[in-house]
Amino acid sequence: MMAEVPSPAVANPLADELTGARHAKPCALVIFGATGDLTKRKLVPSLMGLAKDGLLPPGFQVVGFARRAWTDDSFRQELADGVRQFGRTDTPSAFEALRESFAFHQSDFDQPQGYAALRERLEQIDRHHDTKGNRIFYLATPPSAYSGILQNLAACGLSKEGDGRFARVIVEKPFGRDLATAVALNDQVRAAFHERQVFRIDHYLGKETVQNILALRFANGIFEPLWNEKFIDHVQITVAESIGVGSRGGYFEESGIIRDMIQNHLLQVLTLVAMEPPAALTADAVRDEKVKVLKAIRSLTPAEVAQATVRGQYARNFFGGEEARGYRDEDGVPADSTTETYAAVRLQIANWRWSGTPFFLRSGKRLPRRATEVAIQFKQPPHLLFEGGRPLQPNVLLLRIQPDEGVSLRFGSKVPGPDVRVRDVRMDFRYGSAFGGEHADAYERLLLDAMIGDSTLFARRDEVEEAWRIVDAIVAGWRRNDQRPEPYPAGTWGPERADALLGAGRTWRKP
Ligand code: BG6
C-alpha cells in the first residue's frame, strides 16, 4: 500500500503554484452607482458567490456611493433582496453573515466634499478592518458620470498607490461610443490612474467557456497544428439572444448591436480564437497577442462594408406562442428607428495564419434562441473517396459558450452494414457532466481578479481602441451607403441576405 501523501500546507507559496489557487489581499471596494441595477443583479450576488467559496479576503468591506438618500439599512435591504433573487445557492446566508460589511455613502458624483468624506470613511475602514489602504473603485454609473468621478478620485489622492497600498479602478462598458470618445475616456482614466491600475470589464472574458478557448488551444497538442488557413475553411462566431431590448430601448437606440455586442464581446472572442500562443499566461503577454489580431484586421471601406455586412431590425411576429413586439414598438424607440438589432459581419485577418480564412461574426436580439458559440469549420479532405466523391458534411469543432456549455466535434463515420455509407456523428464534451456543480458567474471571476491585481481578463487600452477602429469603419460605411437595417420577423435567424454573406457552399449554423 502506498503511504498517504500529506496535503500541502496552504501557506506554502509552492502549494499555490501547484494548485493554481490565488488569494486576494484585504481591501475595500467602493461601488459608484450603487443604487443601480448592476450592483443589485450582478456585483453583490457575485461577491457573495466569492464569500461562499471562501475567496473574499479577510476584512473585506464595501462602500456603496450614490446620489440617492439611502441609508446603510435601506442599502443592505436592497442588496439582500438582490442576492436572494439573483445569487447562487447559499449566497443569501453568506450575505447575512457579511451584512455589516456593506455601508452606504451619499454624494453627488462631482462634489469634492463627497470624496473628502469618502476618504475619511475609507481610512476608518482601514483602521477597523485592517484593509491596509487597499482600494478598488468600481464605476457602475452611466458613462456621463465617469469624468467627474475620475477627476475627484485623483484630486483627493484616492487614486494614488504607495507603501505597498494599491488603488485600482474597474470601468464598466460601454467604453466610449466610437474611437474618438474611447480615446478621450482613456485619456481621462490615464490622468487619474496608470494603465496597470485599470480594469476594463468585458464580462464575456469572465465566462469559464470563453477562458477555455485558450486552454483548448494551448493546453492540447492536437488542435494547434490544424488551427490555420491551411485546414480551416472559416470561423463563425454567434451570439444569439431570444430576448428583445426590453426596458433598455433608450440605451439600445443609441448603440445598436454593433456597439453593444460586436465591438466588445464578439471581437474579444475572436481575438482568443485567432491569437498566436502567448509566451506566458501573463496579462501583457496575452493581451499583446490579442491586440495583434485586431491590428491585422483592416478597416473596411464603404464599398467593402456594403459587401461584408448585413444589418437587421426585428419586426413584430408571433413566436413562442406569443406576439412579440417589433423593435420600433419598444419603449424608448422611435417609430422610424434605423438602429440595428442584428448584424452579421465578414472580417479578414491579414496575417500568415489566417490569410484567406474569413471570420463571420453575427449577433442579434429576438432570434429563435439564446446561444453563444464558436464554430470552427474545417476544409474538405483533398480527395473525396466516399459517397461517390460528393463532398460530405464538413468537420466542425464547436465551442458552445452558453447556455449548453461544452465542446463537440463533428466528423464522418461509416454507417454499419454491408454498404459503404458515411454519415456525420458527434463527439461531445459537456461541462455539466464532466465537472458537475454550479459555475461561478463571470463577474465573480472578474471581481476576484481585480482584487488579486490580475488584468489578463480585462481589456487593455489598445485593444479597446483597435476594436473601435474596426467598428467605426463599419458604422461610417453604413452611413455613407445609407445602409438601413432590413426587417426580420422576431423569432427568426435574421435577414435572409445574411446567408449570402458566407459565400457559396457555406451556411450559418442554426444552434
Ligand atoms: C451586455 C449587453 O453587455 O451583454 C446586453 O449590453 C446583452 O445587451 C448582454 O444582453 C448579454 O450577456 P450574456 O452574458 O447574457 O450573454
Side-chain angles (χ1 to χ4, degrees):
M1 236 176 78
M2 278 172 63
E4 204 173 303
V5 182
S7 44
V10 175
N12 179 353
L14 195 61
D16 278 4
E17 213 170 283
L18 292 174
T19 61
R22 301 169 322 142
H23 303 291
K25 287 192 181 155
C27 62
L29 172 70
V30 180
I31 304 176
F32 292 93
T35 54
D37 219 36
L38 185 73
T39 308
K40 178 174 176 175
R41 295 175 78 97
K42 284 286 176 197
L43 303 185
V44 176
S46 299
L47 288 171
M48 292 308 101
L50 292 174
K52 170 190 142 170
D53 292 347
L55 293 169
L56 280 185
F60 180 70
Q61 299 288 303
V62 175
V63 178
F65 188 119
R67 284 176 294 217
R68 291 196 213 168
W70 285 13
T71 59
D72 285 353
D73 266 352
S74 57
F75 181 48
R76 291 169 184 164
Q77 196 44 52
E78 189 70 14
L79 300 181
D81 292 347
V83 174
R84 207 169 316 112
Q85 263 177 282
F86 306 110
R88 293 199 272 137
T89 328
D90 293 341
T91 48
S93 55
F95 182 78
E96 285 318 312
L98 289 170
R99 202 180 173 94
E100 303 288 308
S101 314
F102 289 81
F104 189 73
H105 185 82
Q106 190 204 355
S107 169
D108 274 346
F109 296 124
D110 46 13
Q111 207 177 57
Q113 309 89 290
Y115 292 79
L118 172 68
R119 192 188 164 122
E120 259 171 48
R121 197 156 189 166
L122 289 170
E123 285 166 359
Q124 241 174 46
I125 287 179
D126 289 338
R127 285 195 296 277
H128 293 146
H129 301 280
D130 203 17
T131 39
K132 305 191 186 310
N134 293 327
R135 284 101 198 232
I136 301 182
F137 302 100
Y138 200 118
L139 308 193
T141 62
S144 55
Y146 288 177
S147 147
I149 298 171
L150 291 163
Q151 280 173 24
N152 278 291
L153 285 176
C156 74
L158 280 170
S159 60
K160 269 230 187 68
E161 299 192 309
D163 302 332
R165 285 178 289 113
F166 67 72
R168 298 180 184 141
V169 64
I170 305 180
V171 189
E172 258 299 329
K173 69 172 273 236
F175 202 91
R177 55 167 285 109
D178 53 21
L179 177 57
T181 50
V183 168
L185 176 54
N186 272 326
D187 288 344
Q188 283 172 3
V189 171
R190 180 64 189 86
F193 293 91
H194 289 283
E195 180 65 28
R196 68 179 149 73
Q197 295 174 277
V198 184
F199 294 75
R200 294 176 194 79
I201 290 258
D202 184 312
H203 79 280
Y204 266 58
L205 296 179
K207 292 180 191 277
E208 283 292 341
T209 44
V210 171
Q211 293 165 45
N212 190 42
I213 296 172
L214 290 194
L216 179 102
R217 290 188 57 197
F218 303 135
N220 297 293
I222 58 171
F223 300 114
E224 209 47 28
L226 305 178
W227 211 264
N228 57 53
E229 51 78 35
K230 287 194 183 61
F231 299 98
I232 296 179
D233 178 73
H234 73 274
V235 176
Q236 293 182 17
I237 302 177
T238 300
V239 181
E241 291 183 282
S242 55
I243 51 168
V245 297
S247 58
R248 299 164 77 224
Y251 153 78
F252 198 84
E253 178 60 15
E254 293 302 312
S255 74
I257 208 87
I258 190 106
R259 293 187 175 92
D260 186 48
M261 300 294 290
I262 295 187
Q263 187 274 341
N264 39 78
H265 308 322
L266 280 92
L267 282 176
Q268 282 291 333
V269 170
L270 174 142
T271 61
L272 295 173
V273 173
M275 69 190 263
E276 295 301 316
L281 283 181
T282 57
D284 275 332
V286 170
R287 296 185 300 176
D288 285 347
E289 296 306 336
K290 286 169 66 195
V291 81
K292 280 188 210 161
V293 173
L294 296 172
K295 284 185 175 161
I297 299 175
R298 223 173 18 79
S299 305
L300 299 179
T301 63
E304 288 166 336
V305 168
Q307 298 300 316
T309 69
V310 173
R311 291 178 90 192
Q313 188 186 68
Y314 61 83
R316 188 155 58 99
N317 192 22
F318 281 90
F319 104 97
E322 282 175 26
E323 184 178 17
R325 286 181 179 193
Y327 175 68
R328 293 178 172 193
D329 304 323
E330 300 279 15
D331 298 337
V333 175
D336 58 354
S337 164
T338 55
T339 297
E340 80 288 344
T341 59
Y342 171 98
V345 179
R346 179 177 62 229
L347 292 176
Q348 208 68 60
I349 302 172
N351 64 17
W352 274 52
R353 188 190 280 261
W354 294 119
S355 179
T357 296
F359 281 66
F360 298 100
L361 275 51
R362 69 175 161 162
S363 184
K365 303 273 184 198
R366 282 276 187 240
L367 301 186
R369 61 185 60 90
R370 175 168 182 254
T372 297
E373 57 171 49
V374 178
I376 316 282
Q377 186 165 320
F378 290 87
K379 292 185 175 171
Q380 292 283 349
H383 180 62
L384 302 169
L385 282 173
F386 294 89
E387 302 287 319
R390 277 196 312 274
L392 300 166
Q393 289 290 338
N395 297 136
V396 175
L397 180 68
L398 185 65
L399 318 183
R400 298 191 309 271
I401 307 290
Q402 62 184 25
D404 169 25
E405 303 172 327
V407 178
S408 60
L409 179 66
R410 183 172 81 185
F411 59 97
S413 178
K414 184 182 173 303
V415 180
D419 301 335
V420 184
R421 302 285 317 280
V422 173
R423 209 193 69 195
D424 57 302
V425 294
R426 219 164 86 155
M427 219 153 59
D428 205 11
F429 148 66
R430 289 168 182 273
Y431 276 78
S433 35
F435 298 116
E438 215 182 10
H439 270 355
D441 184 84
Y443 274 91
E444 290 185 36
R445 174 63 195 265
L446 297 176
L447 283 162
L448 179 65
D449 280 8
M451 287 184 223
I452 291 171
D454 181 352
S455 48
T456 313
L457 301 179
F458 293 83
R460 204 169 59 186
R461 171 174 192 153
D462 48 358
E463 285 181 82
V464 170
E465 293 180 2
E466 285 296 330
W468 275 122
R469 173 187 58 75
I470 296 164
V471 162
D472 275 8
I474 295 173
V475 173
W478 286 346
R479 204 174 303 124
R480 175 80 70 82
N481 303 337
D482 196 18
Q483 199 173 327
R484 295 172 186 225
E486 298 163 38
Y488 60 95
T492 64
W493 283 107
E496 279 172 16
R497 214 169 63 80
D499 296 339
L501 197 69
L502 299 177
R506 299 180 180 135
T507 49
W508 286 108
R509 286 185 34 81
K510 296 210 178 349

